[in-house]
């Protein structure tokens, strides 16, 4: 086997960003063959898969949802938690079994997990049936690696890239709602988080290219765009060109697309200017995901979150006061190394204060390479599970309480798909990102309709369409 190009991030040095216009000339040389693409993890991975899909389809591959029918299998991996890794390698076992009978099957691994040196070494040593491995910084290498594939593994994993590719093409999942990358990587180095090592340092796209992409999506008929980054609030800080995320948010809103959203925010970078811009424009949706992670000052310090609970409370209250009808959701980790009962109670108290519309809750997952992984942890798995159950009960109660307030009210819903709750129903989201199931036909998909809410559950609403 040829020596792989295995270059992984090992430091936190700032890099000078280089911008490159991506102009790939691809021909459908694999016409008639099929691809199977499976995505794990966050919205960034989902959007990366839209780029991967574009390359595969440009090469002539056609999509299949049946693994056994595939000529190439691509698993876009996630490294954020151990269970995400376990799912990948569990599914990889199915792929290995299939390749034993389908010798020409190409197996490709990409995504965050492939940026970790130990995982790539493990693929090289223990999973020789895997044909191609690429990282998060060089997805655009995939077509070349497929075309050059021979009997050797192709391992191309680059380090914290200092490049930002512009003019990337996508085969998007939806014709209604679209992602726009505005920023890559993260500089926060929270002690539990592997993202700075898998996604690299913060690198912002040029504002004119983002605005042009948003204009093109509006012209194509998209109703909603979501500005996407590991920490969107930090947008522009690395460029020193006199603009920031608030500037970008306002310029995108001025384009006039029906709905503008953004994920994900870090409380430490959430400015008053951002709050004012969100409040000013009706087409910037009043929905904010504001990760808390812990309500304990001691744990927040150990996590390197750069704010304390009072600062978070003040920001939360300011957002609630200034943005009408705003919905706020969060992320919370329980069982961080040596979290005490008092620490956990502080988190419960914060949930009682904020009464979040919803929350994504997790048991702490040790990630090799992070500082937190070096900490001795004396909390049992049983205790961590118990705390998660207590937290979820409280979170779900407040989610239901928030949803019940909408019963009898009329809201605008962007219909995105058929509902799983019945053949006569469609579903979509309110401006505050609440899922609504509505009696209606498929012709409503892609439209924003007025809906009267008739019933509420913790995770969804039911409603009837009004005359629009």
């Amino acid at each position: 086997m040829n020596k792989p190009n295995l270059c992984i991030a090992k430091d936190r040095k700032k890099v000078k960003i280089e911008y490159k216009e991506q102009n790939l000339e691809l021909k459908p040389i694999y016409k008639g063959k099929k691809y199977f693409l499976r995505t794990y993890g966050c919205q960034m991975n989902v959007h990366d898969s839209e780029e991967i899909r574009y390359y595969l389809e440009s090469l002539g591959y056609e999509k299949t949802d049946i693994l056994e029918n595939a000529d190439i299998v691509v698993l876009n991996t996630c490294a954020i938690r151990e269970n995400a890794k376990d799912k990948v390698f569990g599914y990889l076992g199915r792929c290995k079994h299939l390749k034993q009978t389908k010798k020409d099957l190409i197996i490709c691994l990409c995504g965050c997990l492939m940026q970790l040196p130990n995982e790539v070494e493990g693929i090289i040593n223990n999973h020789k049936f895997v044909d191609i491995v690429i990282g998060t910084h060089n997805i655009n290498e995939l077509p070349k690696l497929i075309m050059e594939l021979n009997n050797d593994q192709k391992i191309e994993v680059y380090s914290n890239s200092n490049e930002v590719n512009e003019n990337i093409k996508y085969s998007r999942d939806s014709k209604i709602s679209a992602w726009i990358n505005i920023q890559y990587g993260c500089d926060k180095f929270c002690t539990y988080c592997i993202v700075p090592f898998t996604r690299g340092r913060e690198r912002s796209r040029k504002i004119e290219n983002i605005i042009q992409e948003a204009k093109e999506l509006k012209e194509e008929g998209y109703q909603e765009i979501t500005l996407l980054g590991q920490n969107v609030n930090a947008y522009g800080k690395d460029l020193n060109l006199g603009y920031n995320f608030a500037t970008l948010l306002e310029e995108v809103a001025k384009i006039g697309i029906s709905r503008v959203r953004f994920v994900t925010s870090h409380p430490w970078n959430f400015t008053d200017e951002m709050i004012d811009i969100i409040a000013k424009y009706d087409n910037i949706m009043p929905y904010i995901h504001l990760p808390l992670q812990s309500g304990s000052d001691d744990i927040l310090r150990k996590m390197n979150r750069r704010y304390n609970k009072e600062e978070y409370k003040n920001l939360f209250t300011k957002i609630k006061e200034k943005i009408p009808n705003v919905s706020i959701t969060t992320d919370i980790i329980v069982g961080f190394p040596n979290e005490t009962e008092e620490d956990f109670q502080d988190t419960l108290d914060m949930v009682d204060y904020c009464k979040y519309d919803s929350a994504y809750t997790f048991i702490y997952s040790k990630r090799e390479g992070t500082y937190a992984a070096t900490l001795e942890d004396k909390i049992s798995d049983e205790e961590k599970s118990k705390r998660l159950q207590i937290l979820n009960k409280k979170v779900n109660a407040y989610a239901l309480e928030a949803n019940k307030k909408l019963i009898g009210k009329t809201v605008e819903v962007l219909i995105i798909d058929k509902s799983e709750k019945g053949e006569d129903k469609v579903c979509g989201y309110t401006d505050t990102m609440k899922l609504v199931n509505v009696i209606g036909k498929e012709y409503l998909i892609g439209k924003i309709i007025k809906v009267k809410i008739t019933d509420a559950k913790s995770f969804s609403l039911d409603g009837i369409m009004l005359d629009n």
Side-chain angles (χ1 to χ4, degrees), residues 10 22 35 53 77 96 150 165 184 189 198 207 225 229 271 295 305 309 361 374 392-393 405 417 466:
K10 293 184 175 66
Q22 184 166 297
Y35 74 88
R53 187 179 298 112
T77 68
K96 178 182 179 180
N150 47 39
N165 285 316
Y184 304 92
F189 286 94
T198 61
I207 192 169
I225 57 174
T271 64
R305 288 295 288 173
K309 60 185 177 184
T361 60
T374 68
N392 283 343
K393 184 176 180 180
K405 292 177 182 178
D417 207 346
L466 303 178

Side-chain angles (χ1 to χ4, degrees), residues 320 375 414 462:
K320 280 285 190 179
L375 301 177
L414 172 58
D462 293 328

Side-chain angles (χ1 to χ4, degrees), residues 318-337:
K318 192 183 300 182
I319 291 171
K320 280 285 190 179
E321 290 175 347
K322 288 191 173 184
I323 303 175
N325 192 38
V326 69
S327 166
I328 301 179
T329 59
T330 196
D331 295 333
I332 300 173
I333 297 171
V334 300
F336 187 82

